[in-house]
Amino acid sequence: MIEMPSLVDQYCHGVLRTELGLGTFEAQLGRGQGPPAPGTTFFDTQTGFAVRRWCPPLLGLEPHCPPARYLARRRELGVAEADRRLLRGTGITTYLVDTGLPGDLTRPPELAAAGAAQAHEIVRLELLAEQVADTSGTVESFLANLAESVHGAAAGAVAFTSVAGVRQGLALAPEPPDAGEVRGAAARWLAAREVGGPLTDAVLLRHLLWIAVASGLPLQLHTGAGDPQTYLGAFARATAGLGTDLVLLHGYPYHRHAAQLAGTFPHVYADLGPASVRTGARAASLLAEVLELAPFGKLLFSSGARGLPELHVVAAQLFREALGRVLGGWVSEGAWSRRDADRVAGLIAADNARRVYGLSDG
């Protein structure tokens, strides 16, 4: 058996503070996939089956119990107790939390307390810019306040994250825009924008990325469902040698491309992320594919979980199970030594993240 290490969840969100009915719970299970077909449920997915396999025992139920019984037990315990039992059953010792999403989600200190773990903040660049825009009256004040806000956020966060690739596609120009382009884009955006409106201007998104690169903090890049090589390969080349690590998030189903970029550029890392949650019982196959392409020191575990503590549980359990199957199989075949397998498991589970984000071992 491979020694199963504790985990650093290098990208996740908070969990919901409210009680969840069946419909709300299912919507959280299938987030981003559109509604289920009439007469069907998101419990009938790899993610749903994994929740029913791994989560009921943490709440005192048998594995694979019916969804209605599981949710009844959840309500019986209450949100706080269910969250506590589920999060403490993950083996995650550190959470890196993107606080840039709307909704009644726990903040990093709450997540840490519920999970008996540490938690650190990841700052979402686009939300920061939107907040600055809401309080800046002129282009000059917006740009000055934006630079100051990014600098200030860097003092208390472990990383920045950006959804530029999701909002504008992965074909954004990789080079930094010049000052005239930035001023013009800011003027247009501020004039047309309603308070609270999202930042979608391509020039300002690029400007934000390069401000973050200058900070020296790791920069996490959401790739969405697009091929990360299309845009991020050029951005990786443009940022090489500048001292800022790039972490490619959510590469599935283009996980092989993300892994290849991590193998090509010294400052690029690939996040295993919620792909294991999506693939469920097939998570070992996905892990084996990624290990074909990326050096073992360039891969990072995360849950990508949002809203449901069950997603933290499933991500952690499926990751450990996949590690056991893949690395344990190679040990059994004599291709790897047990010592090397244990060491690589520790790298991907926690040690790579500790190195990239400057975390302590505690």
Side-chain angles (χ1 to χ4, degrees), residues 277-361:
V277 177
R278 294 283 296 276
T279 53
R282 292 281 296 167
S285 298
L286 180 141
L287 177 63
E289 288 184 355
V290 172
L291 290 172
E292 294 174 8
L293 293 162
F296 309 136
K298 306 297 288 297
L299 299 172
L300 306 170
F301 163 78
S302 82
S303 69
R306 171 187 178 181
L308 299 180
E310 283 83 356
L311 299 179
H312 291 280
V313 174
V314 166
Q317 294 291 356
L318 289 175
F319 173 72
R320 288 196 178 93
E321 187 177 67
L323 273 181
R325 288 186 185 181
V326 174
L327 304 190
W330 293 341
V331 170
S332 298
E333 295 165 2
W336 284 33
S337 71
R338 177 66 54 80
R339 176 178 294 180
D340 283 340
D342 289 341
R343 183 172 58 84
V344 169
L347 286 174
I348 301 172
D351 293 343
N352 291 338
R354 292 190 181 112
R355 185 180 72 253
V356 169
Y357 298 104
L359 306 175
S360 67
D361 291 339

Side-chain angles (χ1 to χ4, degrees), residues 228-248:
Q229 291 194 60
T230 304
Y231 155 60
L232 296 178
F235 188 69
R237 283 190 293 274
T239 54
L242 299 182
T244 296
D245 289 327
L246 308 180
V247 182
L248 309 185

Side-chain angles (χ1 to χ4, degrees), residues 89-319:
T90 62
I92 295 171
T93 58
T94 304
Y95 297 95
L96 307 189
V97 187
D98 177 357
T99 56
L101 290 180
D104 190 21
L105 300 173
T106 54
R107 301 287 296 178
E110 298 170 87
L111 197 65
Q118 297 182 15
H120 305 277
E121 184 176 14
I122 300 166
V123 172
R124 184 169 289 212
L125 290 168
E126 292 77 16
L127 177 63
L128 194 66
E130 290 153 10
Q131 292 171 337
V132 170
D134 288 338
T135 57
S136 299
T138 66
V139 170
E140 290 73 20
S141 65
F142 167 70
L143 294 176
N145 292 341
L146 181 61
E148 183 178 347
S149 294
V150 172
H151 179 75
V158 293
F160 288 112
T161 191
S162 171
V163 292
V166 177
R167 291 188 177 181
Q168 275 291 326
L170 296 179
L172 281 170
E175 67 276 357
D178 63 39
E181 286 182 280
V182 172
R183 283 195 298 271
R188 291 190 299 272
W189 183 55
L190 292 175
R193 175 180 181 268
E194 296 181 2
V195 173
L199 173 59
T200 58
D201 182 89
V203 171
L204 292 181
L205 289 171
R206 287 163 53 207
H207 178 60
L208 264 180
L209 291 176
W210 282 97
I211 296 177
V213 167
S215 78
L217 280 187
L219 175 58
Q220 300 176 338
L221 299 168
H222 292 249
T223 62
D227 174 2
Q229 291 194 60
T230 304
Y231 155 60
L232 296 178
F235 188 69
R237 283 190 293 274
T239 54
L242 299 182
T244 296
D245 289 327
L246 308 180
V247 182
L248 309 185
L249 300 177
H250 309 341
Y252 183 79
Y254 296 95
H255 51 285
R256 293 178 65 90
H257 297 178
Q260 186 174 10
L261 282 177
T264 301
F265 296 98
H267 66 306
V268 175
Y269 293 78
D271 166 52
L272 296 176
S276 60
V277 177
R278 294 283 296 276
T279 53
R282 292 281 296 167
S285 298
L286 180 141
L287 177 63
E289 288 184 355
V290 172
L291 290 172
E292 294 174 8
L293 293 162
F296 309 136
K298 306 297 288 297
L299 299 172
L300 306 170
F301 163 78
S302 82
S303 69
R306 171 187 178 181
L308 299 180
E310 283 83 356
L311 299 179
H312 291 280
V313 174
V314 166
Q317 294 291 356
L318 289 175
F319 173 72

